Amino acid sequence: MPRCGKWHADLTIDADSPPVEGKQTITIADSVQLRGTVLRSGSSGGRVTVRIIGGAGGLGRALKAKFYRGVTARIVLADIAREAGESLSPRIDPGLLGRMLPRWVRMAGTASEALLVTCEALGVGWRIESDGALWVGNETWSVMDAEHGVISSSPSDGTHEISMTTPALAPGVLFRNERVSAVEHVLESSKIRTRYWVER
Amino acid sequence: MIGDRLKSAVEGIVKRLVASYQYHAPYTAKIIAQAGDGTLEVLPDDPRLPSLTGIPLRTFVPGVDIKVKAGGTVLIQFENGDPSRPIATLFDGGSLESLSIKANTKIVIDAAEVDLVSSGGLPLARQGDMVASGGTTPAACMVTFIDPTPGPPAPVTTKIPFPAMIQFAPIPLTGTIVSGNPTRKA
């Protein structure tokens, strides 16, 4: 789960499960839900492996060039999301969405290119959140407290490995006085190991 | 082994990262129309750009008002590479309809020669320049002398009245332009 970009989940499931495709919701420990779309799946060695990416997986779609006059940032972002089949997060700062753009030129290209250009011009970042919605904005670095045990730390890499009861840690928060940049949860049997990278 | 899939993935990452640099290049565009406020409606030649309206025309100097013709060419650029600040600059020589220059204090055009027409022009006259009038051709006229005193006609020997021809020799008249508009100088 990166702080900027879309998360993905690599799953290994029983071979006799029905085919996994389209939109899926991953529920972990009845408390964490991740909504995404199957990117690839296949069977090997009696098992099925599946890669699910956050959201609708539409940021690679080609968008046509578009010109706007006298619109808010909401219109520009909503168009990118809608045309890519994604949905805007309700947690985006209304002040950001209400920013007026006297003119705006969207060049033809992929939705992710348009999104990057727009975010760069607005001075904000973006990511697909766990609920599959597209969030745009600046981090608030809210403090997160969660029960955990430290497995290992590498200050030179800026990485830590911890054990948690639920995979609740996500990027964009302040955890153990450090800004979390990216998170990887590994679930095996009933154990959850979390590795996270901190901002430099 | 590096294959197409990996190269495509790297390409995709690089393209996304440099997408904003596309806004630092100039793009040619055809002028569709010019609005009353001087802004342009243009159709870029590059299909990656949409047609644009209300685009400000940046001239070479402040105070210059330019009217352009439809069908001419401009360059579309983005100030500071900002997608929200498209402008039109430069254009080919055939697209100028009219040009006006306004200044708060003064406009100075200083050169050994200033031509207001491309050919066939005549020199301008200024305050202090010479004016010639009166013509160059001698004037001819008939003058009749009549005795103004009343009474019987004079003896035949006086031969009055009698017609006479007076020929004028040309005397050119010259002068000087004595006034002009103090705010317009050449």
Side-chain angles (χ1 to χ4, degrees), chain A residues 40 65-67 69 101 103-108 110 112-113 116-117 120-121, chain B residues 5 15-16 19-20 22-23 27 48-54 56 78 83-84:
Chain A
R40 276 189 299 275
K66 214 164 186 177
F67 177 59
R69 283 187 74 176
L101 302 170
R103 296 177 189 84
W104 188 264
V105 179
R106 187 181 84 187
M107 296 183 83
T110 63
S112 60
E113 288 168 9
L116 263 175
V117 167
E120 204 172 297
Chain B
R5 176 180 160 182
K15 278 184 72 179
R16 282 196 296 275
S20 61
Q22 295 181 104
Y23 292 89
Y27 298 91
R48 289 176 297 170
L49 281 163
S51 57
L52 309 169
T53 60
F78 296 88
S84 70

Side-chain angles (χ1 to χ4, degrees), chain B residues 8-182:
Chain B
S8 296
V10 173
E11 251 180 49
I13 292 171
V14 172
K15 278 184 72 179
R16 282 196 296 275
L17 292 175
V18 301
S20 61
Y21 287 110
Q22 295 181 104
Y23 292 89
H24 290 271
Y27 298 91
T28 56
K30 183 176 287 183
I31 300 169
I32 303 300
Q34 185 170 27
D37 61 0
T39 59
L40 301 183
E41 178 185 349
V42 299
L43 179 63
D45 296 326
D46 194 317
R48 289 176 297 170
L49 281 163
S51 57
L52 309 169
T53 60
I55 305 303
L57 180 59
R58 293 279 185 261
T59 57
F60 57 89
V61 68
V64 174
D65 186 36
I66 293 178
K67 296 285 182 276
V68 294
K69 291 180 185 173
T73 301
V74 289
L75 279 184
I76 296 298
Q77 294 177 285
F78 296 88
E79 292 180 320
N80 297 330
D82 188 337
S84 70
R85 297 172 64 181
I87 57 171
T89 65
L90 305 177
F91 45 92
D92 60 30
S95 58
L96 183 63
E97 182 75 36
S98 71
L99 171 73
S100 69
I101 303 174
K102 293 179 184 175
N104 287 333
T105 304
K106 187 189 288 188
I107 296 174
V108 174
I109 301 176
D110 191 353
E113 269 191 43
V114 176
D115 287 338
L116 300 183
V117 293
S118 56
S119 66
L122 296 173
L124 293 173
R126 307 169 301 168
Q127 181 179 345
D129 287 344
M130 192 175 76
V131 172
S133 62
T136 57
T137 306
C141 68
M142 181 70 72
V143 176
T144 302
F145 289 94
I146 299 174
D147 185 357
T149 57
V156 178
T157 55
T158 58
K159 295 186 180 178
I160 295 174
F162 62 92
M165 179 74 76
I166 297 179
Q167 189 168 24
F168 291 92
I171 302 177
L173 301 176
T174 61
T176 308
I177 300 173
V178 298
S179 68
N181 188 329

Side-chain angles (χ1 to χ4, degrees), chain A residues 2-198:
Chain A
R3 189 170 69 78
C4 293
K6 49 185 185 292
W7 58 264
H8 74 270
D10 288 324
L11 311 177
T12 303
I13 57 180
D14 292 336
D16 55 2
S17 302
V20 183
E21 55 191 16
K23 292 188 177 178
Q24 299 290 334
T25 298
I26 305 169
T27 304
I28 306 170
D30 293 326
S31 59
V32 175
Q33 282 196 332
L34 300 167
R35 291 196 177 88
T37 303
V38 174
L39 179 65
R40 276 189 299 275
S41 70
S43 60
S44 172
R47 297 206 144 186
V48 174
T49 56
V50 184
R51 171 161 287 191
I52 295 176
I53 56 174
L59 291 180
R61 282 190 201 173
L63 303 187
K64 291 182 181 176
K66 214 164 186 177
F67 177 59
Y68 300 86
R69 283 187 74 176
V71 299
T72 59
R74 177 195 297 273
I75 301 294
V76 174
L77 290 168
D79 277 1
I80 294 173
R82 188 189 68 254
E83 293 173 39
E86 305 284 351
S87 57
L88 275 188
S89 170
R91 289 169 293 279
I92 300 175
D93 177 16
L96 168 64
L97 292 175
R99 211 185 288 187
M100 279 305 297
L101 302 170
R103 296 177 189 84
W104 188 264
V105 179
R106 187 181 84 187
M107 296 183 83
T110 63
S112 60
E113 288 168 9
L115 182 59
L116 263 175
V117 167
T118 306
C119 288
E120 204 172 297
L122 295 174
V124 297
W126 70 273
R127 64 173 164 266
I128 299 292
E129 296 190 307
S130 55
D131 63 355
L134 171 61
W135 177 85
V136 173
N138 288 316
E139 305 294 351
T140 56
W141 302 108
S142 55
V143 175
M144 182 186 176
D145 285 319
E147 236 182 86
H148 66 277
V150 177
I151 300 173
S152 67
S153 283
S154 178
S156 58
D157 291 340
T159 62
H160 305 278
E161 195 169 345
I162 60 175
S163 61
M164 304 182 85
T165 52
T166 59
L169 185 62
V173 299
L174 198 67
F175 182 65
R176 298 172 70 208
N177 289 322
E178 289 182 299
R179 294 180 171 185
V180 178
S181 182
V183 177
E184 179 185 65
H185 298 293
V186 179
L187 287 73
E188 286 177 342
S189 302
S190 58
K191 290 183 182 174
I192 301 172
R193 281 186 300 116
T194 297
R195 186 176 186 194
Y196 68 95
W197 290 256
V198 297

